[in-house]
Amino acid sequence: MDQLPQGVARVNGNGATGGVGMNQLLILSNVMLWLLNIFLLFAVFLIFRQFGAVYLHSAEAIARDGIRLGAAMPPFCGVRYEEGTVLTREELHGVPVLMAFVSPTCPACRQLLDDWNDVYGKHCAHIRFVLVALGDEGQVTQLVGGKQLHGDVVMDNEGTIMTDFKVRVTPFAFVLDRTGVVRGKGLCNGEQHLEGLLVKLGRYLG
């Protein structure tokens, strides 16, 4: 057998240095393929998550959220914040209503409260304003942040009112005519959205 100089590997007939190097290459390529697949799965997850966020803001999603347009307001019973008196559906019968739902963990809800009193001042003469806040008195106090809110502020301690109205995201609002029928609904992040909902109630004010 021919002796090779020290440090020089014997090459087989195919020009390879042997099976060990090829096995290492195959293992490395498989690892890279797995990492690529994991990355692609993560990217697909992010894409579907983004589509979900867009869907929640789409007209179709809003139409599905909340009790349907043309449906009657469900029965409810809520305790007014600070006053401690009870507000029911029967008390709202005979007057158009703007009813908004907010929660203490929702930053957009705090922004909505900044515009609530302004919109109330423009329309309170012919529309009843009801703000349903998810949580107990302590949580609602944290949400209100010392503001003196106008209209009826109702605490939804157990989330039952929100559930009965089929509200999944906040801030969300309904406008109801004098008979308690839903005439408009949607997300409401500020004055512009509230005014837009009130426009849908326009022909039912007479």
Side-chain angles (χ1 to χ4, degrees):
M1 177 179 290
D2 296 334
Q3 297 293 326
L4 294 176
Q6 186 176 2
V8 178
R10 181 179 295 278
V11 180
N12 61 25
N14 295 327
T17 60
V20 175
M22 182 63 70
N23 287 338
Q24 291 176 341
L25 183 61
L26 287 173
I27 292 173
L28 180 61
S29 63
N30 284 332
V31 171
M32 294 298 293
L33 285 174
W34 273 108
L35 291 175
L36 179 60
N37 286 333
I38 292 173
F39 172 78
L40 290 175
L41 287 173
F42 182 69
V44 170
F45 168 76
L46 291 179
I47 290 172
F48 274 100
R49 183 182 180 188
Q50 182 64 28
F51 281 151
V54 172
Y55 170 78
L56 282 175
H57 291 79
S58 68
E60 180 182 0
I62 292 173
R64 293 180 180 179
D65 282 347
I67 53 178
R68 64 178 178 82
L69 296 176
M73 180 195 320
F76 75 92
C77 179
V79 178
R80 289 183 177 90
Y81 174 63
E82 291 186 331
E83 298 178 20
T85 56
V86 173
L87 177 69
T88 65
R89 177 181 66 174
E90 287 69 27
E91 188 175 339
L92 301 177
H93 187 75
V95 59
V97 177
L98 169 64
M99 178 178 285
F101 289 80
V102 294
S103 60
T105 58
C106 167
C109 295
R110 293 188 176 89
Q111 298 174 8
L112 174 67
L113 297 184
D114 293 335
D115 297 326
W116 180 260
N117 285 347
D118 292 337
V119 179
Y120 174 91
K122 297 176 184 177
H123 303 282
C124 64
H126 50 275
I127 295 176
R128 184 79 172 264
F129 280 66
V130 179
L131 187 69
V132 180
L134 180 64
D136 56 27
E137 186 171 359
Q139 292 171 308
V140 176
T141 298
Q142 182 181 6
L143 171 65
V144 172
K147 297 182 179 69
Q148 186 64 43
L149 297 175
H150 299 319
D152 296 291
V153 181
V154 176
M155 296 179 293
D156 189 8
N157 291 346
E158 304 296 332
T160 54
I161 303 176
M162 185 175 291
T163 299
D164 291 343
F165 278 78
K166 299 180 181 180
V167 174
R168 297 188 303 165
V169 293
T170 55
F172 198 89
F174 299 89
V175 284
L176 306 105
D177 64 19
R178 297 177 185 275
T179 63
V181 173
V182 177
R183 298 304 180 184
K185 61 178 179 175
L187 296 173
C188 55
N189 294 329
E191 181 175 359
Q192 184 177 0
H193 290 165
L194 291 174
E195 292 285 0
L197 284 173
L198 292 175
V199 168
K200 297 179 182 180
L201 193 59
R203 68 190 185 93
Y204 299 100
L205 295 177

